[in-house]
Amino acid sequence: MKKAKNKHDTNSVVEKLYSIGQASRKLHLSSPTLRMYEHHGVLIPYKTKSGRRYYSDADIERVQCMRHMIKDVGLNLEGIRRLFALLPCWEIKQCSKKEREHCPVYLDSSKPCWTFKRVTCRKDSMDCKTCEIYLMSSTCTDRLKTILRGIGYLQAE
DNA sequence: ATTCTAACA
DNA sequence: TGTTAGTA
């Protein structure tokens, strides 16, 4: 979600960000809970150099989706993590057979691609918060639901 | 005033 | 999940 900047920067856009306090109030949950989600590898907030967390609108929606999965689908955080681990990034990024054979993400479906340290297809300059794989799992609608249905985790509607 | 980590109830 | 301690 982008928003026009103020009069000092009329040409650029900036993402709206929320501190952990603002985000937790917006989501009606506690800040330790947001930190716990992060600890489990299912949420990646921005971090300042001093370590302060900032959450985007995509992060807010991501948490709302996960709350839905917990409340209505019956998953726990481990289940959500393993669900994200099943996102076939090697298909979406169309990695070659050769690349797959050496990719830890392809060889280990136990954790999400963004929790791996070094992945060859991931440029050093590219962080997982802006990667399409992480972003596509931010919403409960569209592609993620399609994938979840495809692997039998959600009923067809 | 707010958030951080880590440990613990 | 929440709370506490000692910081930054």
Side-chain angles (χ1 to χ4, degrees):
Chain A
M1 198 72 69
K2 304 283 182 173
K3 180 193 178 187
K5 260 190 177 179
N6 60 36
K7 53 197 170 187
H8 303 297
D9 280 304
T10 51
N11 289 330
S12 57
V13 291
V14 64
E15 197 173 26
K16 278 187 291 186
L17 294 176
Y18 310 89
S19 69
I20 194 167
Q22 294 170 323
S24 60
R25 282 189 289 273
K26 202 175 180 65
L27 289 161
H28 302 107
L29 42 75
S30 67
S31 46
T33 300
L34 285 177
R35 296 193 189 98
M36 180 180 65
Y37 285 10
E38 178 184 349
H39 184 76
H40 280 259
V42 296
L43 179 64
I44 313 174
Y46 291 111
K47 288 278 195 76
T48 65
K49 289 189 176 181
S50 63
R52 277 165 145 70
R53 281 164 252 257
Y54 284 94
Y55 301 85
S56 65
D57 281 310
D59 291 324
I60 301 296
E61 183 172 10
R62 185 185 192 78
V63 173
Q64 288 171 334
C65 172
M66 293 193 289
R67 301 291 288 185
H68 168 256
M69 289 197 262
I70 291 167
K71 181 174 179 293
D72 301 322
V73 184
L75 292 174
N76 56 21
L77 286 183
E78 175 68 8
I80 293 172
R81 188 183 66 76
R82 292 179 62 160
L83 210 50
F84 288 153
L86 296 176
L87 289 170
C89 71
W90 52 89
E91 297 286 348
I92 295 156
K93 295 198 170 185
Q94 299 187 325
C95 297
S96 67
K97 186 177 180 180
K98 183 87 173 180
E99 287 173 305
R100 298 179 191 203
E101 290 171 354
H102 296 284
C103 181
V105 181
Y106 178 72
L107 299 173
D108 179 4
S109 60
S110 69
K111 41 189 192 284
C113 59
W114 54 80
T115 64
F116 285 84
K117 281 295 179 188
R118 271 181 294 280
V119 178
T120 50
C121 74
R122 185 195 302 156
K123 307 276 196 301
D124 290 340
S125 58
M126 180 214 255
D127 73 297
C128 287
K129 262 196 85 60
T130 56
C131 172
E132 59 180 324
I133 310 299
Y134 178 76
L135 291 178
M136 73 180 289
S137 58
S138 292
T139 172
C140 274
T141 60
D142 306 333
R143 283 172 291 182
L144 181 59
K145 263 194 173 175
T146 302
I147 291 170
L148 299 187
R149 270 196 293 273
I151 57 180
Y153 277 87
L154 284 180
Q155 291 186 328
E157 293 178 350

